Amino acid sequence: MSPTRYDVAPALEDKAFILLVLAVSLAFALTIWPFFGAILWGTALAILFAPLHRRLLRRMRRGNLAAIITLLIIVIIVVIPVTLVIGLLAQEASGLYTRIQSGELDLGRYVQQVLDVLPAWVTQLVDRIWPSDLNVPERLSGILTGAAQFIATRALSLGQQTLALVLGIFVMLYLLFFLLRDGDALAQRIEGAVPLRPELREGLMTRFSTVIRATIKGTLVVALVQGVLGGLALLVLGVRAPVLWGALMALLALLPAVGPPLVWAPIAIWFLATGSLGKGIGLAIYGIVVIGLVDNLLRPILVGRDTRIPDYIILVSTLGGIAVFGLNGFIVGPVIAALFITVWEMFQATRNAPAEVHDPAEVQAPLEAPGPAEVQAVEP
């Protein structure tokens, strides 16, 4: 028996409506894409500071006032310091670029000074690995000069984008206010719109919030602390552009198996090569003991029982996120990786779940209400 037009029409209407929803959603995503970074960081900060907002809301009983106070706290402890650092970063990057272009900063001379003080056996080993016709000092100088110019130009361009930075901060703060005030209701609407079973929706939303908090607290905060400690050490030792090198240490600290030693170790070697033994040894000890142990000591305190992705996945997802999303990839990459792992774990759990028991006695038995411990375990 062939289906009548009354049977076919609803199915076609459903498919057409789904296509309409997808098309409108795609158009909306393309429209707000220029503010992707502001929306991303506004959402991340809203999730991170949601517990503080809830505590203020319980005391004040006024949603707007609690959201405004939380927003002011975020501006004081996050937005203003980051803006000041970007300004200092642009200023130091401008000075570094000028010194490189004028020839005042001769990295080749520094490389040659380091090679001249190396022990004879190290020099012989270098000669065996790289023949003299390769001109190792000149090649190293070219690599270091190119890297320094790349870092300086990127930092300088970041500081010169004043209008885009101000507009992005305004959009982020404006959005952040409403996310703080209406975040719980918005999360419930999003969760209800996801076409999944309730237990899968709750698990996915909980995992998303957990990953955001773990990424910011356990990765970004630790990296910022390492960058600040490294920058302060370089400032005390009289190294030029300590903010720039501290920011570079913070960026490298976001990548597992790389880290701040790529910045402070060459500086310590240069101190040793130029006769400043105290500064070189002191910076090496400080880098190993203080900067190096921050990750192991601070991350468990900040993250606690939150999720932790394996280091090799963080490395690949962070580099891939940077390649696709720019600086926003530092948070987008690990979050996508964590959600990828979560979705496949949930899929595996549903595939391996035992078959339902169809005993009439069990089907008619009333469901027991979950105890307090169970309720607490599923709360995000």
Side-chain angles (χ1 to χ4, degrees), residues 117-310:
V117 298
L118 291 177
W121 65 271
V122 177
T123 306
Q124 294 175 0
L125 181 61
V126 172
D127 291 337
R128 291 179 181 178
I129 297 176
W130 291 293
S132 57
D133 57 349
L134 292 180
N135 199 349
V136 175
E138 183 178 348
R139 288 179 176 270
L140 289 177
S141 174
I143 294 173
L144 293 176
T145 302
Q149 287 179 339
F150 176 81
I151 294 169
T153 52
R154 290 299 182 274
L156 185 60
S157 63
L158 179 65
Q160 290 176 342
Q161 297 173 357
T162 306
L163 180 60
L165 180 63
V166 172
L167 184 60
I169 291 176
F170 172 77
V171 172
M172 183 192 71
L173 294 178
Y174 186 80
L175 177 65
L176 184 55
F177 170 78
F178 292 100
L179 289 177
L180 289 171
R181 191 190 68 176
D182 308 325
D184 292 338
L186 182 61
Q188 292 178 0
R189 294 184 63 180
I190 294 175
E191 183 178 347
V194 176
L196 295 174
R197 295 201 302 268
E199 63 273 13
L200 295 180
R201 290 201 307 264
E202 293 176 3
L204 193 60
M205 295 294 291
T206 302
R207 182 73 170 186
F208 177 76
S209 300
T210 302
V211 167
I212 289 288
R213 293 193 183 99
T215 301
I216 296 179
K217 294 191 299 181
T219 303
L220 295 182
V221 173
V222 173
L224 289 175
V225 171
Q226 289 181 309
V228 170
L229 292 175
L232 289 176
L234 299 182
L235 177 64
V236 171
L237 295 175
V239 178
R240 291 191 180 185
V243 176
L244 178 62
W245 302 124
L248 183 58
M249 275 190 263
L251 291 177
L252 292 174
L254 295 170
L255 303 176
V258 181
L262 286 180
V263 177
W264 62 256
I267 298 176
I269 294 174
W270 178 77
F271 276 134
L272 295 175
T274 56
S276 301
L277 299 180
K279 291 183 178 181
I281 296 174
L283 180 58
I285 296 175
Y286 181 85
I288 296 173
V289 175
V290 178
I291 301 177
L293 292 180
V294 164
D295 183 78
N296 295 328
L297 296 178
L298 193 59
R299 188 186 299 271
I301 297 176
L302 293 175
V303 179
R305 295 177 299 173
D306 288 350
T307 182
R308 179 164 185 178
I309 311 173

Side-chain angles (χ1 to χ4, degrees), residues 36-187:
F36 170 75
I39 297 172
L40 171 68
W41 289 104
T43 305
L45 290 174
I47 294 175
L48 184 64
F49 286 89
L52 173 62
H53 174 257
R54 293 192 186 102
R55 286 195 292 267
L56 293 174
L57 184 60
R58 284 195 295 266
R59 294 184 179 182
M60 300 177 180
R61 303 292 181 181
R62 298 176 62 182
N64 288 334
L65 182 59
I68 290 175
I69 294 178
T70 307
L71 190 64
L72 290 176
I73 294 174
I74 295 173
V75 169
I76 294 174
I77 67 175
V78 177
V79 177
I80 293 179
V82 169
T83 304
L84 293 176
V85 168
I86 290 177
L88 292 174
L89 192 62
Q91 183 179 357
E92 292 186 355
S94 177
L96 177 63
Y97 185 79
T98 302
R99 292 173 60 203
I100 294 175
Q101 292 297 103
S102 63
E104 179 185 354
L105 182 61
D106 187 2
L107 295 178
R109 178 167 55 88
Y110 297 144
V111 172
Q112 190 60 51
Q113 288 178 345
V114 173
L115 294 177
D116 291 341
V117 298
L118 291 177
W121 65 271
V122 177
T123 306
Q124 294 175 0
L125 181 61
V126 172
D127 291 337
R128 291 179 181 178
I129 297 176
W130 291 293
S132 57
D133 57 349
L134 292 180
N135 199 349
V136 175
E138 183 178 348
R139 288 179 176 270
L140 289 177
S141 174
I143 294 173
L144 293 176
T145 302
Q149 287 179 339
F150 176 81
I151 294 169
T153 52
R154 290 299 182 274
L156 185 60
S157 63
L158 179 65
Q160 290 176 342
Q161 297 173 357
T162 306
L163 180 60
L165 180 63
V166 172
L167 184 60
I169 291 176
F170 172 77
V171 172
M172 183 192 71
L173 294 178
Y174 186 80
L175 177 65
L176 184 55
F177 170 78
F178 292 100
L179 289 177
L180 289 171
R181 191 190 68 176
D182 308 325
D184 292 338
L186 182 61

